[in-house]
Amino acid sequence: MGSKSVLGVFGYDVIWLMVCAFILNSAMQVTKLGKRIALAIVTRFGQTAKSAILAMIVVNFAISFLIPSTTARAALMLPIAITLANIYNAIPGESNFGKLLMLVNMQSNEISTSGILTATSANVMAVNFIKEATGAQIYYSTWLIAAMPIAIVTTIIGYFVGLKLFPPEIEKVSSEALANMEKEMKDLGPMDANEKKALTIFLITLFLWCTDRWHMAMFHRQIDPTLAAMIGATLCLLPGIGVIKKWGDVKIPWDLMLFSCGAYAVGMALDKTGAASFIINSILSRINLVNVTFFKIYAVVMFIALFSHIIFTSKIVRITILAPTVIAFAKELAPVLNADPTKLVIALTLPAAFTICWCITLPPQSKPNLIYYSSGFYKVRDQLCMA
């Protein structure tokens, strides 16, 4: 690849989204709005480290119904998670509580998305591919009933696995510490003008994230999650309106921005050169259809779909390559198994689509992964172990 293509990664939306997310995070820190929200969570639900982490899981699942973007949700939750970690005196790279808090947020963000049809555009694309190929309609409720139980059970298992791997150093907040936090909450008093400004900017950004499907009707143009975050970040820095008075108050981990660029350059190369799709097609074409059973085929397809995120860093790219490939393969397989082509397409393609969001193995494999990894609370091997 040419240097222009590789260096062009510095302009990718995920890089700018991460920068803007940290500007929003800095606004929440400077105005103490983040501290107020985190203290409210801790004093009401976080008397123990375990309950604080569970509260964050519930929030992630709840906002998955409202915000149709894993990246936007990660950008929303990161400032709150960082402030919550600070309240527990969690030191990045050392604290098991901070490590588990970020990893659970990352996993519940991705896995909850698999259970809701509208939680990401990749899910909707999968349904459209099936409808175009077979005429069968996969409804919202059908997707929810089929995928959400698996998402909930898996997240709960992941939570307990995380507790075993990274037991929090603070098991329970002492009554004295809780009293101090309640006092801190009281001492914050009513929200001041800067907090109200920060909250307003945050709500504007959240509104833009939540209403993306109606943007064309409202604004006559589509505002993607990155542009919405840039609008919020600009408002935070705007003289007279913003709450960040000087650039020095913005804390951005530039080293991790560079890491993200490198990771995306590799993923882009695999995609644009056709190497990734070649690998998948080669595997499927080598399957001997003689004496094959449905469950053997199902296992192979699910394995490919589940681990495709290792070579594709985009959900859209994965579903664009996987869905047509699996659909064509299912149609070819139907006469061999003496099966209804429509049912076989759904039986193989829909479960494969459920796995599109299960990209929790390594940081470069999705934008939310990179956003939470940029907090500095955990290392690559920590994520791999918990996955």
PDB file of all heavy atoms in Angstrom, residues 56-82:
ATOM      1  N   MET A  56     -23.222  -0.811  35.882  1.00  0.00           N
ATOM      2  CA  MET A  56     -22.739  -0.372  34.577  1.00  0.00           C
ATOM      3  C   MET A  56     -23.187  -1.326  33.462  1.00  0.00           C
ATOM      4  O   MET A  56     -23.471  -0.904  32.338  1.00  0.00           O
ATOM      5  CB  MET A  56     -21.212  -0.266  34.596  1.00  0.00           C
ATOM      6  CG  MET A  56     -20.678   0.773  35.570  1.00  0.00           C
ATOM      7  SD  MET A  56     -21.194   2.444  35.161  1.00  0.00           S
ATOM      8  CE  MET A  56     -19.940   2.922  33.992  1.00  0.00           C
ATOM      9  N   ILE A  57     -23.252  -2.628  33.771  1.00  0.00           N
ATOM     10  CA  ILE A  57     -23.740  -3.606  32.787  1.00  0.00           C
ATOM     11  C   ILE A  57     -25.190  -3.305  32.425  1.00  0.00           C
ATOM     12  O   ILE A  57     -25.571  -3.283  31.254  1.00  0.00           O
ATOM     13  CB  ILE A  57     -23.614  -5.043  33.334  1.00  0.00           C
ATOM     14  CG1 ILE A  57     -22.139  -5.456  33.435  1.00  0.00           C
ATOM     15  CG2 ILE A  57     -24.367  -6.030  32.433  1.00  0.00           C
ATOM     16  CD1 ILE A  57     -21.923  -6.812  34.087  1.00  0.00           C
ATOM     17  N   VAL A  58     -26.008  -3.062  33.452  1.00  0.00           N
ATOM     18  CA  VAL A  58     -27.432  -2.771  33.239  1.00  0.00           C
ATOM     19  C   VAL A  58     -27.592  -1.512  32.397  1.00  0.00           C
ATOM     20  O   VAL A  58     -28.414  -1.468  31.464  1.00  0.00           O
ATOM     21  CB  VAL A  58     -28.163  -2.623  34.592  1.00  0.00           C
ATOM     22  CG1 VAL A  58     -29.592  -2.124  34.379  1.00  0.00           C
ATOM     23  CG2 VAL A  58     -28.175  -3.953  35.343  1.00  0.00           C
ATOM     24  N   VAL A  59     -26.795  -0.484  32.691  1.00  0.00           N
ATOM     25  CA  VAL A  59     -26.871   0.770  31.925  1.00  0.00           C
ATOM     26  C   VAL A  59     -26.512   0.510  30.460  1.00  0.00           C
ATOM     27  O   VAL A  59     -27.167   1.016  29.543  1.00  0.00           O
ATOM     28  CB  VAL A  59     -25.944   1.836  32.537  1.00  0.00           C
ATOM     29  CG1 VAL A  59     -25.864   3.055  31.626  1.00  0.00           C
ATOM     30  CG2 VAL A  59     -26.443   2.253  33.910  1.00  0.00           C
ATOM     31  N   ASN A  60     -25.459  -0.289  30.222  1.00  0.00           N
ATOM     32  CA  ASN A  60     -25.050  -0.588  28.853  1.00  0.00           C
ATOM     33  C   ASN A  60     -26.153  -1.295  28.084  1.00  0.00           C
ATOM     34  O   ASN A  60     -26.397  -0.991  26.908  1.00  0.00           O
ATOM     35  CB  ASN A  60     -23.778  -1.453  28.858  1.00  0.00           C
ATOM     36  CG  ASN A  60     -22.515  -0.643  28.836  1.00  0.00           C
ATOM     37  OD1 ASN A  60     -22.160  -0.040  27.825  1.00  0.00           O
ATOM     38  ND2 ASN A  60     -21.812  -0.593  29.958  1.00  0.00           N
ATOM     39  N   PHE A  61     -26.814  -2.260  28.721  1.00  0.00           N
ATOM     40  CA  PHE A  61     -27.904  -2.969  28.052  1.00  0.00           C
ATOM     41  C   PHE A  61     -29.083  -2.026  27.790  1.00  0.00           C
ATOM     42  O   PHE A  61     -29.707  -2.099  26.732  1.00  0.00           O
ATOM     43  CB  PHE A  61     -28.361  -4.167  28.890  1.00  0.00           C
ATOM     44  CG  PHE A  61     -27.649  -5.450  28.553  1.00  0.00           C
ATOM     45  CD1 PHE A  61     -26.367  -5.691  29.018  1.00  0.00           C
ATOM     46  CD2 PHE A  61     -28.244  -6.415  27.767  1.00  0.00           C
ATOM     47  CE1 PHE A  61     -25.688  -6.862  28.704  1.00  0.00           C
ATOM     48  CE2 PHE A  61     -27.588  -7.600  27.442  1.00  0.00           C
ATOM     49  CZ  PHE A  61     -26.303  -7.827  27.910  1.00  0.00           C
ATOM     50  N   ALA A  62     -29.360  -1.141  28.748  1.00  0.00           N
ATOM     51  CA  ALA A  62     -30.505  -0.234  28.603  1.00  0.00           C
ATOM     52  C   ALA A  62     -30.300   0.742  27.445  1.00  0.00           C
ATOM     53  O   ALA A  62     -31.208   0.937  26.624  1.00  0.00           O
ATOM     54  CB  ALA A  62     -30.720   0.539  29.908  1.00  0.00           C
ATOM     55  N   ILE A  63     -29.109   1.325  27.344  1.00  0.00           N
ATOM     56  CA  ILE A  63     -28.898   2.322  26.289  1.00  0.00           C
ATOM     57  C   ILE A  63     -28.720   1.683  24.921  1.00  0.00           C
ATOM     58  O   ILE A  63     -28.795   2.369  23.898  1.00  0.00           O
ATOM     59  CB  ILE A  63     -27.700   3.246  26.607  1.00  0.00           C
ATOM     60  CG1 ILE A  63     -26.379   2.464  26.673  1.00  0.00           C
ATOM     61  CG2 ILE A  63     -27.941   4.029  27.875  1.00  0.00           C
ATOM     62  CD1 ILE A  63     -25.164   3.348  26.862  1.00  0.00           C
ATOM     63  N   SER A  64     -28.514   0.347  24.886  1.00  0.00           N
ATOM     64  CA  SER A  64     -28.441  -0.343  23.595  1.00  0.00           C
ATOM     65  C   SER A  64     -29.763  -0.262  22.842  1.00  0.00           C
ATOM     66  O   SER A  64     -29.798  -0.329  21.613  1.00  0.00           O
ATOM     67  CB  SER A  64     -28.052  -1.813  23.789  1.00  0.00           C
ATOM     68  OG  SER A  64     -26.737  -1.933  24.271  1.00  0.00           O
ATOM     69  N   PHE A  65     -30.878  -0.113  23.584  1.00  0.00           N
ATOM     70  CA  PHE A  65     -32.191   0.028  22.958  1.00  0.00           C
ATOM     71  C   PHE A  65     -32.390   1.441  22.405  1.00  0.00           C
ATOM     72  O   PHE A  65     -33.249   1.653  21.551  1.00  0.00           O
ATOM     73  CB  PHE A  65     -33.304  -0.271  23.964  1.00  0.00           C
ATOM     74  CG  PHE A  65     -33.441  -1.730  24.305  1.00  0.00           C
ATOM     75  CD1 PHE A  65     -32.770  -2.270  25.393  1.00  0.00           C
ATOM     76  CD2 PHE A  65     -34.237  -2.572  23.540  1.00  0.00           C
ATOM     77  CE1 PHE A  65     -32.895  -3.616  25.717  1.00  0.00           C
ATOM     78  CE2 PHE A  65     -34.366  -3.919  23.852  1.00  0.00           C
ATOM     79  CZ  PHE A  65     -33.692  -4.442  24.935  1.00  0.00           C
ATOM     80  N   LEU A  66     -31.603   2.399  22.915  1.00  0.00           N
ATOM     81  CA  LEU A  66     -31.817   3.805  22.572  1.00  0.00           C
ATOM     82  C   LEU A  66     -30.819   4.349  21.560  1.00  0.00           C
ATOM     83  O   LEU A  66     -31.183   5.169  20.714  1.00  0.00           O
ATOM     84  CB  LEU A  66     -31.742   4.665  23.846  1.00  0.00           C
ATOM     85  CG  LEU A  66     -32.697   4.297  24.987  1.00  0.00           C
ATOM     86  CD1 LEU A  66     -32.396   5.138  26.219  1.00  0.00           C
ATOM     87  CD2 LEU A  66     -34.141   4.491  24.551  1.00  0.00           C
ATOM     88  N   ILE A  67     -29.549   3.904  21.658  1.00  0.00           N
ATOM     89  CA  ILE A  67     -28.493   4.464  20.812  1.00  0.00           C
ATOM     90  C   ILE A  67     -28.020   3.389  19.835  1.00  0.00           C
ATOM     91  O   ILE A  67     -27.407   2.412  20.251  1.00  0.00           O
ATOM     92  CB  ILE A  67     -27.315   4.972  21.659  1.00  0.00           C
ATOM     93  CG1 ILE A  67     -27.812   5.980  22.705  1.00  0.00           C
ATOM     94  CG2 ILE A  67     -26.251   5.609  20.779  1.00  0.00           C
ATOM     95  CD1 ILE A  67     -26.738   6.466  23.647  1.00  0.00           C
ATOM     96  N   PRO A  68     -28.295   3.554  18.540  1.00  0.00           N
ATOM     97  CA  PRO A  68     -27.977   2.499  17.565  1.00  0.00           C
ATOM     98  C   PRO A  68     -26.523   2.526  17.088  1.00  0.00           C
ATOM     99  O   PRO A  68     -26.243   2.418  15.901  1.00  0.00           O
ATOM    100  CB  PRO A  68     -28.937   2.816  16.415  1.00  0.00           C
ATOM    101  CG  PRO A  68     -29.086   4.297  16.475  1.00  0.00           C
ATOM    102  CD  PRO A  68     -29.016   4.676  17.923  1.00  0.00           C
ATOM    103  N   SER A  69     -25.599   2.650  18.009  1.00  0.00           N
ATOM    104  CA  SER A  69     -24.178   2.685  17.640  1.00  0.00           C
ATOM    105  C   SER A  69     -23.337   2.237  18.827  1.00  0.00           C
ATOM    106  O   SER A  69     -23.392   2.857  19.896  1.00  0.00           O
ATOM    107  CB  SER A  69     -23.765   4.092  17.212  1.00  0.00           C
ATOM    108  OG  SER A  69     -22.357   4.216  17.168  1.00  0.00           O
ATOM    109  N   THR A  70     -22.568   1.171  18.642  1.00  0.00           N
ATOM    110  CA  THR A  70     -21.693   0.703  19.723  1.00  0.00           C
ATOM    111  C   THR A  70     -20.646   1.762  20.053  1.00  0.00           C
ATOM    112  O   THR A  70     -20.280   1.947  21.212  1.00  0.00           O
ATOM    113  CB  THR A  70     -20.969  -0.593  19.311  1.00  0.00           C
ATOM    114  OG1 THR A  70     -20.256  -0.376  18.088  1.00  0.00           O
ATOM    115  CG2 THR A  70     -21.938  -1.737  19.130  1.00  0.00           C
ATOM    116  N   THR A  71     -20.172   2.467  19.046  1.00  0.00           N
ATOM    117  CA  THR A  71     -19.135   3.479  19.239  1.00  0.00           C
ATOM    118  C   THR A  71     -19.671   4.659  20.031  1.00  0.00           C
ATOM    119  O   THR A  71     -19.013   5.153  20.955  1.00  0.00           O
ATOM    120  CB  THR A  71     -18.614   3.966  17.868  1.00  0.00           C
ATOM    121  OG1 THR A  71     -18.270   2.829  17.083  1.00  0.00           O
ATOM    122  CG2 THR A  71     -17.407   4.853  18.033  1.00  0.00           C
ATOM    123  N   ALA A  72     -20.866   5.115  19.678  1.00  0.00           N
ATOM    124  CA  ALA A  72     -21.467   6.237  20.401  1.00  0.00           C
ATOM    125  C   ALA A  72     -21.707   5.872  21.866  1.00  0.00           C
ATOM    126  O   ALA A  72     -21.480   6.686  22.766  1.00  0.00           O
ATOM    127  CB  ALA A  72     -22.777   6.645  19.730  1.00  0.00           C
ATOM    128  N   ARG A  73     -22.139   4.637  22.104  1.00  0.00           N
ATOM    129  CA  ARG A  73     -22.395   4.220  23.494  1.00  0.00           C
ATOM    130  C   ARG A  73     -21.093   4.157  24.298  1.00  0.00           C
ATOM    131  O   ARG A  73     -21.053   4.520  25.469  1.00  0.00           O
ATOM    132  CB  ARG A  73     -23.106   2.863  23.509  1.00  0.00           C
ATOM    133  CG  ARG A  73     -24.485   2.908  22.900  1.00  0.00           C
ATOM    134  CD  ARG A  73     -25.334   1.715  23.307  1.00  0.00           C
ATOM    135  NE  ARG A  73     -24.789   0.456  22.872  1.00  0.00           N
ATOM    136  CZ  ARG A  73     -24.997  -0.097  21.681  1.00  0.00           C
ATOM    137  NH1 ARG A  73     -25.731   0.539  20.783  1.00  0.00           N
ATOM    138  NH2 ARG A  73     -24.485  -1.267  21.362  1.00  0.00           N
ATOM    139  N   ALA A  74     -20.036   3.686  23.656  1.00  0.00           N
ATOM    140  CA  ALA A  74     -18.736   3.635  24.337  1.00  0.00           C
ATOM    141  C   ALA A  74     -18.256   5.045  24.681  1.00  0.00           C
ATOM    142  O   ALA A  74     -17.744   5.295  25.784  1.00  0.00           O
ATOM    143  CB  ALA A  74     -17.711   2.919  23.472  1.00  0.00           C
ATOM    144  N   ALA A  75     -18.422   5.976  23.734  1.00  0.00           N
ATOM    145  CA  ALA A  75     -18.025   7.361  23.970  1.00  0.00           C
ATOM    146  C   ALA A  75     -18.849   7.983  25.093  1.00  0.00           C
ATOM    147  O   ALA A  75     -18.350   8.823  25.855  1.00  0.00           O
ATOM    148  CB  ALA A  75     -18.173   8.176  22.688  1.00  0.00           C
ATOM    149  N   LEU A  76     -20.110   7.574  25.215  1.00  0.00           N
ATOM    150  CA  LEU A  76     -20.983   8.065  26.278  1.00  0.00           C
ATOM    151  C   LEU A  76     -20.582   7.521  27.642  1.00  0.00           C
ATOM    152  O   LEU A  76     -20.521   8.252  28.639  1.00  0.00           O
ATOM    153  CB  LEU A  76     -22.428   7.668  25.960  1.00  0.00           C
ATOM    154  CG  LEU A  76     -23.467   7.845  27.077  1.00  0.00           C
ATOM    155  CD1 LEU A  76     -23.707   9.328  27.328  1.00  0.00           C
ATOM    156  CD2 LEU A  76     -24.768   7.150  26.714  1.00  0.00           C
ATOM    157  N   MET A  77     -20.260   6.228  27.694  1.00  0.00           N
ATOM    158  CA  MET A  77     -20.010   5.563  28.978  1.00  0.00           C
ATOM    159  C   MET A  77     -18.588   5.751  29.494  1.00  0.00           C
ATOM    160  O   MET A  77     -18.357   5.667  30.705  1.00  0.00           O
ATOM    161  CB  MET A  77     -20.300   4.062  28.846  1.00  0.00           C
ATOM    162  CG  MET A  77     -21.760   3.719  28.599  1.00  0.00           C
ATOM    163  SD  MET A  77     -22.847   4.246  29.937  1.00  0.00           S
ATOM    164  CE  MET A  77     -22.266   3.195  31.278  1.00  0.00           C
ATOM    165  N   LEU A  78     -17.628   5.989  28.616  1.00  0.00           N
ATOM    166  CA  LEU A  78     -16.229   6.084  29.050  1.00  0.00           C
ATOM    167  C   LEU A  78     -15.998   7.150  30.122  1.00  0.00           C
ATOM    168  O   LEU A  78     -15.362   6.859  31.140  1.00  0.00           O
ATOM    169  CB  LEU A  78     -15.311   6.336  27.848  1.00  0.00           C
ATOM    170  CG  LEU A  78     -13.818   6.448  28.190  1.00  0.00           C
ATOM    171  CD1 LEU A  78     -13.269   5.119  28.688  1.00  0.00           C
ATOM    172  CD2 LEU A  78     -13.008   6.931  26.984  1.00  0.00           C
ATOM    173  N   PRO A  79     -16.482   8.395  29.949  1.00  0.00           N
ATOM    174  CA  PRO A  79     -16.246   9.391  30.993  1.00  0.00           C
ATOM    175  C   PRO A  79     -16.818   8.990  32.351  1.00  0.00           C
ATOM    176  O   PRO A  79     -16.205   9.234  33.394  1.00  0.00           O
ATOM    177  CB  PRO A  79     -16.957  10.641  30.454  1.00  0.00           C
ATOM    178  CG  PRO A  79     -17.053  10.426  28.990  1.00  0.00           C
ATOM    179  CD  PRO A  79     -17.215   8.949  28.805  1.00  0.00           C
ATOM    180  N   ILE A  80     -17.997   8.365  32.340  1.00  0.00           N
ATOM    181  CA  ILE A  80     -18.619   7.937  33.590  1.00  0.00           C
ATOM    182  C   ILE A  80     -17.800   6.823  34.234  1.00  0.00           C
ATOM    183  O   ILE A  80     -17.565   6.820  35.453  1.00  0.00           O
ATOM    184  CB  ILE A  80     -20.067   7.469  33.335  1.00  0.00           C
ATOM    185  CG1 ILE A  80     -20.899   8.629  32.766  1.00  0.00           C
ATOM    186  CG2 ILE A  80     -20.703   6.922  34.617  1.00  0.00           C
ATOM    187  CD1 ILE A  80     -22.271   8.229  32.281  1.00  0.00           C
ATOM    188  N   ALA A  81     -17.319   5.873  33.399  1.00  0.00           N
ATOM    189  CA  ALA A  81     -16.519   4.763  33.921  1.00  0.00           C
ATOM    190  C   ALA A  81     -15.196   5.263  34.504  1.00  0.00           C
ATOM    191  O   ALA A  81     -14.757   4.793  35.568  1.00  0.00           O
ATOM    192  CB  ALA A  81     -16.256   3.746  32.807  1.00  0.00           C
ATOM    193  N   ILE A  82     -14.558   6.216  33.824  1.00  0.00           N
ATOM    194  CA  ILE A  82     -13.288   6.755  34.324  1.00  0.00           C
ATOM    195  C   ILE A  82     -13.491   7.468  35.661  1.00  0.00           C
ATOM    196  O   ILE A  82     -12.713   7.293  36.601  1.00  0.00           O
ATOM    197  CB  ILE A  82     -12.664   7.711  33.286  1.00  0.00           C
ATOM    198  CG1 ILE A  82     -12.148   6.919  32.085  1.00  0.00           C
ATOM    199  CG2 ILE A  82     -11.516   8.522  33.905  1.00  0.00           C
ATOM    200  CD1 ILE A  82     -11.591   7.778  30.960  1.00  0.00           C
TER     201      ILE A  82
END
